[in-house]
């Protein structure tokens, strides 16, 4: 569903309509195994793997450059429904400003037209913003009355547009990410860093299009991270009290369980600088998922 231009019948030129066709396919694989089974010790595993892909096969609308490069992704014929594209970044110049290849094939600092709709083939395709591979891997170990559960989740195949934090102007209230520690400072730094200079007031007043350079950098291939991750989702240890202990208490069962949820990310792209790829920008805050610890005592009468 998207905007399509009409002849204006009914008083509207731009209307919402079904503007595209797509195809999708995928597989899901589940494997459950009993690796060891003895009187006192058991080890069971569960592995889930899911892979799905989609492609826009027909599209009756042309997206602008700004639509294609933003973090939410956008449809383009021959690509996924939510594909992410980037402006080609060519490094920093001798003044520390970012350089790009534009729609004409020229090297430029500020000549990027974000409203261009026809000539967008110069953009770099990064990948889908939705993961194509998801799944989990769980293991349950039992030794006599003790039970240990280790559960991991994983996701791969998607790309993330990093926050557009770079600008030609800042205030005393601007929060600076730690990338600025490695920014261009003196001539020659362009050989060792891709982080642009903090423009001074004179440079901003001299070039009124300098804002475009920093916006282009925000939406370039230098500001894309891998969205894949492996998460330690849950670890729990439980103990079932022996039946002989329960007779005098008039209980059918009694168990104690210590559970930890969302302990850590075993793998995530270092470009995210601690931001959680699974919940990136969700809820408008993008804070890491909090760890949870639960102690449960269960009695059955």
């Amino acid at each position: 569903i998207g905007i399509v231009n009409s002849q204006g019948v009914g008083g509207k030129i731009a209307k919402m309509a079904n503007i595209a066709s797509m195809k999708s396919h995928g597989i899901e694989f589940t494997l459950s195994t009993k690796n060891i089974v003895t009187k006192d010790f058991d080890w069971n595993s569960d592995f889930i793997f899911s892979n799905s892909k989609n492609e826009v096969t027909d599209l009756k609308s042309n997206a602008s450059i700004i639509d294609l490069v933003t973090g939410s992704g956008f449809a383009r014929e021959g690509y996924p429904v939510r594909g992410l594209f980037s402006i080609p970044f060519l490094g920093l110049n001798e003044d520390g400003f970012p350089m790009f290849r534009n729609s004409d094939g020229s090297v430029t600092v500020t000549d990027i037209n974000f409203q261009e709709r026809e000539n967008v083939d110069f953009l770099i395709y990064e990948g889908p913003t939705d993961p194509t591979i998801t799944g989990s891997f769980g293991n349950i170990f039992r030794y006599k009355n003790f039970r240990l559960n280790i559960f991991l989740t994983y996701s791969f195949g998607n790309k993330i547009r990093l926050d557009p934090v770079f600008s030609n102007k800042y205030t005393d209230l601007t929060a600076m990410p730690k990338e600025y520690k490695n920014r261009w400072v003196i001539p020659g730094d362009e050989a060792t860093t891709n982080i642009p200079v903090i423009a001074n007031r004179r440079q901003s007043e001299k070039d009124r299009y300098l804002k475009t350079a920093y916006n282009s950098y925000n939406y370039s291939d230098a500001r894309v991270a891998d969205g894949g991750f492996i998460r330690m989702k849950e670890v729990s240890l439980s103990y079932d009290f022996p039946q002989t202990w329960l007779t005098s208490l008039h209980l059918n069962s009694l168990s104690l369980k210590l559970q930890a949820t969302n302990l850590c990310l075993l793998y995530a792209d270092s470009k995210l600088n601690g931001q959680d790829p699974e919940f990136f920008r969700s809820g408008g805050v993008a804070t890491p998922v909090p760890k949870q610890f639960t102690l449960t005592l269960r009695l059955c009468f």
Side-chain angles (χ1 to χ4, degrees):
I1 304 298
I3 296 176
V4 61
N5 294 324
S6 69
Q7 297 178 347
V9 178
K12 290 185 177 181
I13 296 178
K15 298 182 178 180
M16 298 297 293
N18 188 343
I19 62 171
S21 299
M22 61 171 286
K23 63 180 180 180
S24 62
H25 64 278
I27 60 171
E28 183 171 324
F29 173 78
T30 302
L31 177 65
S32 297
T33 61
K34 294 184 177 181
N35 307 311
I36 299 175
V37 179
T38 66
K39 179 181 177 181
D40 292 330
F41 181 75
D42 296 340
W43 173 24
N44 300 330
S45 298
D46 290 288
F47 177 73
I48 298 177
F49 173 86
S50 177
N51 176 244
S52 62
K53 295 183 179 180
N54 61 68
E55 179 184 339
V56 177
T57 57
D58 181 46
L59 184 63
K60 298 180 177 63
S61 176
N62 291 331
S64 64
I65 289 178
I66 190 61
D67 293 328
L68 295 170
V69 300
T70 50
S72 56
F74 207 85
R76 188 181 180 195
E77 192 169 314
Y79 295 92
V81 174
R82 284 159 46 91
L84 181 63
F85 296 80
S86 291
I87 298 169
F89 172 66
L90 302 180
L92 305 179
N93 64 13
E94 65 276 6
D95 296 319
F97 296 124
M99 300 182 295
F100 313 95
R101 190 173 304 281
N102 63 12
S103 58
D104 298 329
S106 304
V107 178
T108 183
V109 173
T110 60
D111 187 18
I112 299 292
N113 181 11
F114 283 95
Q115 302 306 319
E116 173 68 40
R117 291 179 179 271
E118 299 299 328
N119 190 3
V120 297
D121 290 336
F122 74 101
L123 296 176
I124 297 174
Y125 173 62
E126 303 286 0
T129 58
D130 298 316
T132 58
I133 296 175
T134 58
S136 63
F137 182 50
N139 289 275
I140 299 177
F141 304 90
R142 182 194 64 84
Y143 176 69
K144 294 185 178 180
N145 289 4
F146 289 95
R147 187 181 301 270
L148 175 65
N149 178 26
I150 301 176
F151 183 66
L152 290 79
T153 59
Y154 63 88
S155 176
F156 294 100
N158 63 308
K159 298 295 182 178
I160 292 176
R161 170 71 63 198
L162 298 177
D163 286 332
V165 296
F166 290 88
S167 175
N168 65 313
K169 294 181 180 180
Y170 304 99
T171 71
D172 292 339
L173 301 178
T174 303
M176 299 289 192
K178 67 180 182 180
E179 287 102 318
Y180 283 87
K181 294 171 59 179
N182 300 319
R183 71 185 184 277
W184 188 99
V185 178
I186 60 175
D189 285 350
E190 62 271 14
T192 59
T193 182
N194 285 330
I195 308 300
V197 65
I198 295 180
N200 58 43
R201 183 174 181 179
R202 179 181 296 178
Q203 290 171 322
S204 295
E205 292 176 348
K206 181 180 178 181
D207 188 351
R208 62 191 182 94
Y209 295 106
L210 197 57
K211 180 180 179 181
T212 302
Y214 286 87
N215 279 338
S216 300
Y217 181 76
N218 286 326
Y219 298 114
S220 71
D221 54 316
R223 298 294 293 167
V224 174
D226 181 21
F229 67 88
I230 301 175
R231 180 187 302 280
M232 179 64 74
K233 187 67 175 178
E234 179 183 326
V235 176
S236 65
L237 178 64
S238 61
Y239 178 74
D240 296 325
F241 288 87
Q243 192 65 36
T244 54
W245 292 22
L246 306 179
T247 304
S248 60
L249 299 175
H250 304 288
L251 296 174
N252 289 327
S253 65
L254 175 63
S255 64
L256 185 65
K257 180 179 180 181
L258 177 61
Q259 178 178 328
T261 307
N262 296 321
L263 274 179
C264 62
L265 283 169
L266 300 179
Y267 165 77
D269 195 339
S270 59
K271 275 189 171 184
L272 292 169
N273 290 318
Q275 297 177 96
D276 195 311
E278 186 176 11
F279 300 97
F280 189 78
R281 281 200 294 269
S282 62
V285 291
T287 56
V289 181
K291 300 179 178 66
Q292 296 180 347
F293 298 92
T294 307
L295 181 62
T296 305
L297 179 64
R298 179 172 296 176
L299 301 89
C300 293
F301 295 94

